[in-house]
Amino acid sequence: MAYNFLPCDRNQAYLLPPSLTDWLPEGHLAWFILDAVEQIDLSQFYKKYRVDGVGNSAFQPSMMAALLLYSYCSGERSSRRIEKHCQTDIAYKVITANQLPDHTTINRFRKDNQSHLKKLFLEILRLCAEAGLIKLGKVSLDGTKIKANASLAANSKLKHLKQEIEKMLSEATAKDAEEDKTFGVDKRGDEMPEGLRDRNSRINRLKACKERLEQEKVKAQKAQQDKIDRRKAKEESTGKKSRGRKPKSPEEVGKNDAKANVTDPDSRIMKTRKGFVQGLNGQAVTTEEQIIVAEDVTQEENDKQQLHPMLEQTEANRQALELKEKTGVALADAGYCSDENFTKRPAGDVELLVAVQKDYKQRTALAEQPPQDEPISDDLSPTELMERKLLTERGRELYKIRGRTVEPVFGQIKDARGFDRFMRRGFEACRSEWSLICATHNLLKLWRSSKACWN
């Protein structure tokens, strides 16, 4: 008797070419991405290409955009690994129609179209709106620290930057003089030593760091001088000396230990719960359904200055999508707490509900103190009014929503998809990358909801 096995002949030739539609099940993410890209306006991607067909053939921008969207949805951002997937992964072969763009092409497309890729966020948000996934009654705002593509150890102080620039320039001058003497002024010799091969690039980054620290030094000295002048004017008007420690002189403030990163000068030292990282601050506004309706990246470690800009972007996106429902309540943690934030009128007349102390202290206060629904006194400060508002029954119920909306979104992005570090360097490049990460988060939500309007 013979075994009853299905045939396994790898040399079997196909009588007819295989169809890509037979390679993946109908509900696969790859098909969804391709259908979604057909609904998106990609006209900006085509503008740089010649319409007369002259020149070398290029990959379809729609295919390249779909490739990036699918790879980011799958947790893959490395252009080299994306190239490898295009060679070995069936889903990637379906996306690329069995073409093989190399990592240089993928990286160049991402770099050259970073402003257009950022606009994809709004296009994908429009698809979510058309599917009925966006409800703006209650939104939550938060920030998360994303590591930069740079080492924390690559930070240098101003005096060290000056020394390194002078050293590199003197070494380069000496090397040029030595080669002129050996090979002649008009002749080219061997390549420069390893440490000087990328001299111009490194010097430019060092100079950028030096310039930034010098500007910050001047700014800090001016702010300190203004503080001293205000204190002096107050003393002269009241005839009394101000209480407290005497302010430092501008010269003392200028001697601080500020640092800049020579690998990515646009990144900053950020404090997290697990210590310090070299990175940037990613911001997001989410709905109760965990759809991101506004996103951005800032170099500020503190979130206080981001409350109103993020709410303004939320309102701008709402108007761009022509959504009738307005944002009702915006929920945020204590990182956004300040009298100035509570005094300023938010975009779209959104009601603010912001914690006034750290989360564990806020939870303790809510647990220990009974709800307070008696009339609120008029002589309270804006922060005291917000604290009083949080202690009401309504405030307690609303603030609970924040913890189950925006924080899980960051968990899905950083832990589930592994996006805890930027792949690219430079502020605008990181903004584009964060926008693409947030756009693919929404795309995955739309796919899993099965509510896409073209389905």
Side-chain angles (χ1 to χ4, degrees):
M1 296 179 64
Y3 292 111
N4 186 18
F5 293 148
L6 293 172
C8 182
D9 184 0
R10 296 182 179 85
N11 295 320
Q12 173 68 49
Y14 289 99
L15 180 62
L16 296 174
S19 172
L20 292 179
T21 57
D22 297 332
W23 288 6
L24 292 174
E26 184 178 349
H28 196 276
L29 176 62
W31 296 120
F32 175 81
I33 296 291
L34 291 173
D35 290 340
V37 169
E38 290 183 1
Q39 314 301 317
I40 295 173
D41 180 13
L42 298 176
S43 57
Q44 295 293 326
F45 289 83
Y46 286 82
K47 286 186 175 180
K48 70 175 184 178
Y49 297 97
R50 297 183 57 150
V51 296
D52 56 9
V54 176
N56 293 333
S57 299
F59 290 105
Q60 281 276 352
S62 58
M63 182 274 283
M64 296 296 293
L67 176 60
L68 283 179
L69 288 173
Y70 180 77
S71 60
Y72 271 66
C73 282
S74 304
E76 188 58 81
R77 291 178 294 163
S78 167
S79 57
R80 283 178 169 81
R81 288 198 291 267
I82 294 174
E83 176 189 354
K84 185 176 180 181
H85 283 305
C86 291
Q87 298 171 354
T88 60
D89 192 299
I90 292 296
Y92 281 82
K93 285 182 175 293
V94 169
I95 292 288
T96 62
N98 214 13
Q99 300 176 91
L100 298 175
D102 60 24
H103 66 272
T104 303
T105 303
I106 296 168
N107 193 47
R108 187 186 299 117
F109 180 84
R110 179 167 54 186
K111 179 180 178 181
D112 293 346
N113 295 283
Q114 67 180 26
S115 61
H116 304 327
L117 289 171
K118 186 167 177 56
K119 294 176 183 177
L120 283 182
F121 173 80
L122 191 60
E123 286 291 317
I124 292 173
L125 196 61
R126 177 178 61 81
L127 298 182
C128 293
E130 291 174 355
L133 293 183
I134 299 180
K135 298 178 181 178
L136 293 174
K138 306 174 189 69
V139 299
S140 299
L141 167 62
D142 205 357
T144 185
K145 308 302 191 300
I146 308 289
K147 297 176 186 176
N149 190 359
S151 170
L152 189 62
N155 287 284
S156 294
K157 297 179 182 179
L158 181 58
K159 63 178 182 179
H160 296 151
L161 290 171
K162 292 179 179 178
Q163 293 171 358
E164 190 166 357
I165 290 173
E166 291 173 359
K167 179 183 177 182
M168 290 191 71
L169 289 175
S170 61
E171 287 179 355
T173 302
K175 185 63 183 176
D176 288 341
E178 179 186 341
E179 290 182 346
D180 288 346
K181 183 177 179 180
T182 304
F183 303 106
V185 177
D186 299 327
K187 295 183 179 180
R188 181 181 183 276
D190 294 335
E191 294 293 334
M192 296 177 71
E194 184 67 29
L196 298 177
R197 286 184 183 174
D198 196 24
R199 176 173 57 87
N200 289 334
S201 174
R202 181 165 177 78
I203 285 179
N204 288 336
R205 284 186 278 115
L206 289 172
K207 287 181 177 178
C209 292
K210 176 174 172 287
E211 182 180 354
R212 176 202 141 198
L213 292 182
E214 287 177 339
Q215 290 175 351
E216 290 182 356
K217 177 180 177 181
V218 172
K219 186 177 179 181
Q221 288 178 330
K222 185 179 182 302
Q224 188 68 9
Q225 186 61 55
D226 291 342
K227 181 179 179 181
I228 293 172
D229 293 341
R230 288 194 300 270
R231 179 187 175 100
K232 184 178 179 181
K234 182 179 179 181
E235 289 176 345
E236 290 176 350
S237 63
T238 60
K240 298 180 181 179
K241 281 193 173 183
S242 299
R243 299 178 62 183
R245 185 180 299 176
K246 185 178 179 181
K248 294 180 180 179
S249 67
E251 291 73 20
E252 290 177 301
V253 172
K255 294 179 180 179
N256 60 19
D257 293 331
K259 297 180 179 180
N261 193 278
V262 297
T263 305
D264 185 358
D266 288 344
S267 63
R268 298 290 185 268
I269 298 175
M270 299 278 175
K271 185 178 181 181
T272 69
R273 295 178 181 177
K274 298 181 180 180
F276 291 93
V277 299
Q278 189 71 33
L280 292 166
N281 188 350
Q283 298 282 314
V285 179
T286 67
T287 66
E288 286 190 82
E289 294 74 25
Q290 298 180 2
I291 299 294
I292 301 174
V293 292
E295 50 74 32
D296 207 352
V297 169
T298 177
Q299 295 169 316
E300 298 288 337
E301 179 185 348
N302 196 301
D303 291 332
K304 285 184 181 179
Q305 304 303 319
Q306 310 310 315
L307 177 65
H308 289 283
M310 293 305 299
L311 292 179
E312 288 168 5
Q313 187 188 144
T314 303
E315 177 62 15
N317 288 347
R318 184 192 73 82
Q319 293 181 8
L321 297 175
E322 298 181 350
L323 298 178
K324 294 182 179 179
E325 182 186 17
K326 293 186 177 181
T327 308
V329 182
L331 311 168
D333 63 16
Y336 299 88
C337 174
S338 74
D339 281 349
E340 183 180 355
N341 280 343
F342 300 152
T343 304
K344 182 178 179 181
R345 183 178 179 180
D349 291 331
V350 180
E351 179 186 358
L352 296 179
L353 195 62
V354 182
V356 298
Q357 50 191 340
K358 292 184 178 180
D359 268 1
Y360 73 93
K361 292 183 179 180
Q362 190 70 52
R363 287 194 295 269
T364 302
L366 294 176
E368 293 178 351
Q369 300 186 41
Q372 301 180 17
D373 294 322
E374 63 270 14
I376 299 175
S377 174
D378 295 332
D379 58 353
L380 299 179
S381 69
T383 299
E384 289 172 336
L385 284 171
M386 184 61 68
E387 183 179 18
R388 177 67 177 74
K389 186 177 180 180
L390 283 163
L391 291 175
T392 64
E393 191 69 39
R394 177 175 176 272
R396 292 166 183 262
E397 292 302 316
L398 285 174
Y399 192 73
K400 289 179 183 178
I401 297 173
R402 192 198 70 84
R404 60 175 184 261
T405 52
V406 66
E407 290 183 1
V409 167
F410 290 148
Q412 293 159 21
I413 288 174
K414 299 175 76 172
D415 296 329
R417 290 200 287 159
F419 292 161
D420 62 346
R421 180 187 294 273
F422 288 112
M423 291 288 292
R424 305 182 63 200
R425 293 173 181 167
F427 182 61
E428 289 303 325
C430 290
R431 287 187 71 204
S432 174
E433 187 172 7
W434 177 244
S435 182
L436 193 55
I437 289 170
C438 292
T440 49
H441 168 86
N442 288 345
L443 203 56
L444 286 170
K445 290 289 183 183
L446 179 59
W447 174 56
R448 290 171 180 142
S449 72
S450 300
K451 294 181 179 179
C453 59
W454 62 85
N455 285 344

